[in-house]
Amino acid sequence: MMRAALRAVLLLWAAAGTASACAPDALGTARVLTLKREHARYGTAQYGPLPLQKGEVVLTFDDGPVPGATDKVLQVLAQQCTQATFFMTGANLSKYPELGLRVERAGHAVALHSFAHPSLKSMTGAEQLADLEKGTQAFARVFGHEPAAYRFPYLEETPPILAALKDRGVTVASVDLGIDDWAPNDMRVDSMVARLLDRLKQAGGGIILMHDANGPTGEALPAMLKAIRDNGYKVVSLRWEDSAGLSTP
């Protein structure tokens, strides 16, 4: 409990320090949405919506942490004084634990995206659960606690993993829209911005899927965040309560 409380205080202190340095035209973070630590499912691509207001968005990044690519994303987010949720693979956390901690220390929420990013549907139930356990252990070694949320690789949910997440009280995070920021899609900055705005217009806001492991995403991120701001969307930062009711990343 004391460790969780200290983490919450440090994150609030870091956020306050960042806010004081924000440029007047920075995107910023409009509010923090604290969710219960429970087995819930969000994201209209598969489930129900987060309790967001019209025009609110949640920035999420998958597949990191990856040196260079994740560093660029963190730099851009810091410049815009805005916060995101990073769904990390256990394999990359095992390779780059300090980079994972940098994400958390910058005030962003951290969650799990499997261990090895496999196609779970091609695996036996036992193999799927082994990947989940390995990913959970890797996450806990870095952050000192198990993940509060999980995103399926390729959004391919499976009954064995769903059942295990329910038993663990872990939230399943799907998406409301994505920008298709992976090859062989068009990865030019203008194209990614256009896809983002088109899909935001259709959805009205929601959970945005991006990939910090992809270099072109970081290069396009300044333009995408500017487009979000210029079109009147507001960023919501996610947090989860711990067992003591405190807000944690």
Side-chain angles (χ1 to χ4, degrees):
M1 180 174 177
M2 289 185 65
R3 180 173 183 172
L6 177 60
R7 182 183 294 111
V9 169
L10 289 174
L11 288 173
L12 288 171
W13 176 82
T18 301
S20 65
C22 289
D25 62 347
L27 175 59
T29 299
R31 68 184 180 101
V32 174
L33 174 60
T34 300
L35 302 170
K36 292 182 179 179
R37 194 178 180 107
E38 63 180 359
H39 181 66
R41 292 185 274 182
Y42 298 110
T44 55
Q46 295 168 286
Y47 316 120
L50 273 172
L52 299 175
Q53 300 170 13
K54 185 175 177 59
E56 290 185 333
V57 300
V58 174
L59 307 175
T60 71
F61 294 91
D62 283 9
D63 297 356
V66 174
T70 300
D71 291 294
K72 175 64 175 178
V73 169
L74 288 176
Q75 178 187 27
V76 175
L77 293 174
Q79 290 169 347
Q80 288 299 316
C81 295
T82 195
Q83 294 178 321
T85 301
F86 287 75
F87 290 86
M88 304 180 183
T89 69
N92 281 340
L93 275 173
S94 296
K95 292 178 184 176
Y96 313 112
E98 286 301 320
L99 183 53
L101 285 171
R102 275 192 55 211
V103 173
E104 185 190 42
R105 289 167 182 163
H108 305 292
V110 292
L112 184 61
H113 192 42
S114 79
F115 179 79
H117 204 289
S119 174
L120 293 169
K121 290 185 176 181
S122 68
M123 302 164 64
T124 67
E127 290 170 337
Q128 294 176 38
L129 294 174
D131 182 89
L132 174 62
E133 182 61 29
K134 194 172 181 181
T136 299
Q137 290 178 3
F139 187 97
R141 280 196 297 270
V142 174
F143 298 113
H145 59 87
E146 293 192 356
Y150 179 94
R151 177 173 282 160
F152 281 94
Y154 312 107
L155 303 182
E156 292 180 348
E157 68 171 40
T158 65
I161 298 291
L162 277 175
L165 296 175
K166 183 176 181 179
D167 288 343
R168 293 171 181 255
V170 175
T171 294
V172 179
S174 185
V175 306
D176 294 305
L177 64 139
I179 61 169
D180 297 343
D181 54 337
W182 61 84
N185 297 310
D186 186 344
M187 303 287 279
R188 292 175 297 178
V189 172
D190 289 348
S191 298
M192 284 197 275
V193 171
R195 289 198 293 268
L196 171 65
L197 289 179
D198 179 63
R199 293 168 190 182
L200 276 173
K201 183 177 180 180
Q202 294 178 45
I207 305 168
I208 303 173
L209 169 62
M210 295 174 280
H211 294 81
D212 61 304
N214 292 345
T217 302
E219 296 303 318
L221 192 56
M224 290 193 288
L225 296 184
K226 182 177 186 300
I228 288 172
R229 183 198 67 206
D230 290 350
N231 284 272
Y233 295 99
K234 304 295 184 183
V235 173
V236 172
S237 174
L238 298 184
R239 291 289 182 269
W240 281 268
E241 292 180 350
D242 65 10
S243 58
L246 298 170
S247 177
T248 66

